[in-house]
């Protein structure tokens, strides 16, 4: 697995929000999630499991419904 890393994708969450006609800021306010954490998620960065658990409880879903890991080539990321 040399040269490959995993990128976090929160596309499942963003699609759920669209389906529920919610904005990211609504979710953040409802669950008391900081704007910095929401920004990290928007960039596909890691956030705490505690935050992901809060979201899953609120959305009544499983962690795999809101996030996934996508393989990316290390060379592509640095380019």
């Amino acid at each position: 697995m040399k040269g490959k890393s995993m990128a976090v994708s929160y596309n499942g969450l963003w699609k759920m929000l669209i389906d529920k006609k919610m904005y990211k800021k609504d979710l953040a306010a409802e669950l008391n999630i900081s704007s910095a954490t929401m920004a990290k998620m928007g960039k596909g960065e890691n956030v705490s499991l505690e935050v992901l658990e809060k979201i899953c409880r609120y959305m009544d879903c499983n962690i795999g419904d809101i996030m996934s890991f996508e393989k990316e080539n290390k060379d592509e990321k640095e380019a």
Side-chain angles (χ1 to χ4, degrees), residues 6-11 14 24 37-47 67-69 72 77:
M6 302 293 272
V8 179
S9 170
Y10 298 101
N11 287 340
W14 309 143
K24 292 177 187 179
T37 298
M38 293 303 290
K40 278 181 156 185
M41 292 175 74
K43 294 183 217 169
E45 295 178 6
N46 294 331
V47 297
M67 68 165 290
S68 61
F69 292 105
E72 63 178 24
K77 190 174 182 184

Side-chain angles (χ1 to χ4, degrees), residues 29-74:
E30 190 70 32
L31 300 179
N32 198 23
I33 297 172
S34 73
S35 58
T37 298
M38 293 303 290
K40 278 181 156 185
M41 292 175 74
K43 294 183 217 169
E45 295 178 6
N46 294 331
V47 297
S48 76
L49 195 53
E50 183 182 345
V51 168
L52 297 174
E53 182 183 355
K54 271 189 199 180
I55 294 169
C56 287
R57 286 180 189 272
Y58 181 77
M59 300 298 260
D60 192 27
C61 67
N62 218 324
I63 196 163
D65 298 327
I66 63 169
M67 68 165 290
S68 61
F69 292 105
E70 298 176 352
K71 289 180 184 172
E72 63 178 24
N73 281 330
K74 192 175 182 184

Side-chain angles (χ1 to χ4, degrees), residues 2-20:
K2 199 173 187 180
K4 300 241 183 203
S5 62
M6 302 293 272
V8 179
S9 170
Y10 298 101
N11 287 340
L13 175 59
W14 309 143
K15 288 174 186 168
M16 272 188 177
L17 290 178
I18 290 167
D19 290 345
K20 294 181 182 271

